[in-house]
């Protein structure tokens, strides 16, 4: 057996011997990192959304709340308007950053709103 063939056989045997240990729940060897999760699924909508609608903002509720403006939502076949509403902030002094449509190659991607 050549030196290269012997090295390959020993390497394969060593790797195969470690697989049952991982399958049985033993701790991974030092330096092992699981593969990263797949990227989130992005839906690229081919056409731009219609212009935003102007909504009449109703009087605020009797509790602390912030107006979340309406937006166009893609439902898989077309854009559908979602009316604005008041939402409660998770903590005092948080502000709402509204979602928006971001132009990308091939169309538009919805970027969700978030608290800051």
């Amino acid at each position: 057996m050549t030196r290269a063939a012997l090295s390959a056989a020993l390497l394969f045997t060593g790797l195969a011997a470690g697989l049952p240990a991982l399958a049985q729940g033993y701790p991974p060897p030092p330096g092992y990192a699981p593969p990263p999760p797949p990227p989130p699924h992005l839906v690229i909508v081919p056409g731009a959304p219609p212009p935003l609608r102007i909504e009449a903002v109703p009087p605020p509720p009797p509790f602390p709340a912030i107006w979340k403006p309406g937006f166009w939502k893609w439902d898989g076949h077309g854009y559908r308007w979602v009316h604005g509403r008041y939402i409660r902030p998770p903590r005092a002094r948080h502000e709402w950053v509204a979602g928006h449509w971001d132009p990308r190659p091939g169309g538009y991607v919805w970027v969700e709103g978030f608290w800051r």
Side-chain angles (χ1 to χ4, degrees):
M1 188 179 279
T2 67
R3 185 178 206 155
L6 180 60
S7 296
L10 288 173
L11 177 64
F12 177 75
T13 304
L15 291 175
L19 290 178
L22 285 175
Q24 294 176 11
Y26 291 106
Y32 172 80
H41 182 68
L42 289 179
V43 176
I44 298 178
V45 181
L52 292 175
R53 291 184 178 174
I54 297 174
E55 292 185 294
V57 179
F63 52 83
I66 293 177
W67 178 253
K68 177 182 176 183
F71 60 95
W72 288 105
K73 179 178 182 176
W74 179 255
D75 67 5
H77 303 286
Y79 287 102
R80 167 177 79 75
W81 181 253
V82 176
H83 293 281
R85 61 189 173 95
Y86 280 100
I87 53 176
R88 289 180 183 241
R91 291 182 186 82
R93 296 194 306 265
H94 272 71
E95 65 180 31
W96 177 253
V97 178
H100 64 276
W101 286 97
D102 192 25
R104 301 279 174 93
Y108 289 79
V109 174
W110 175 250
V111 178
E112 286 289 337
F114 60 93
W115 288 102
R116 162 168 65 185

